[in-house]
Amino acid sequence: MDNTYFGTQTANITNLEGSVVKVAGNNLVQDSYTNPSAPQIAMTVNNLFVPIKNQILGNESDGAGGYVYSGAKPKVAVLIETETIDRKNSIFFWIP
């Protein structure tokens, strides 16, 4: 998001790693496996345009000034840039 949208305040990324599931048997842990990761992002955007927000949500214009659900969720990819603590280098997170 550039200055057109007055920038972003936060981008919280969760579920980068899958959860571990323990398989119990005979009162002991017999096995374990890891579920696939399912990254999620919660972003605070200061001024996201309504048409863009509705595209991300899978809504279409109803032609009368409103939006209705299109029936299909779109796939959205996000590239997040942040800085190191000393602000000398950028760190990028790509969530497909």
Side-chain angles (χ1 to χ4, degrees):
M1 301 286 162
D2 60 14
N3 289 334
T4 304
Y5 306 105
F6 302 129
T8 55
Q9 183 177 0
T10 59
N12 295 321
I13 305 170
T14 58
N15 298 330
L16 287 176
E17 184 176 16
S19 60
V20 176
V21 177
K22 296 178 182 178
V23 179
N26 294 337
N27 296 325
L28 296 171
V29 175
Q30 299 292 332
D31 195 10
S32 65
Y33 61 91
T34 305
N35 287 321
S37 65
Q40 297 179 0
I41 302 168
M43 293 179 70
T44 303
V45 180
N46 294 322
N47 187 31
L48 187 61
F49 293 152
V50 173
I52 293 173
K53 176 184 136 187
N54 280 292
Q55 286 177 343
I56 292 170
L57 293 173
N59 297 332
E60 296 177 338
S61 174
D62 64 2
Y67 290 87
V68 295
Y69 180 59
S70 67
K73 292 280 184 180
K75 294 187 181 224
V76 179
V78 177
L79 177 63
I80 299 170
E81 178 186 11
T82 187
E83 299 174 329
T84 55
I85 293 173
D86 61 6
R87 299 190 181 271
K88 291 183 180 178
N89 297 298
S90 290
I91 299 171
F92 293 92
F93 293 93
W94 169 252
I95 310 294

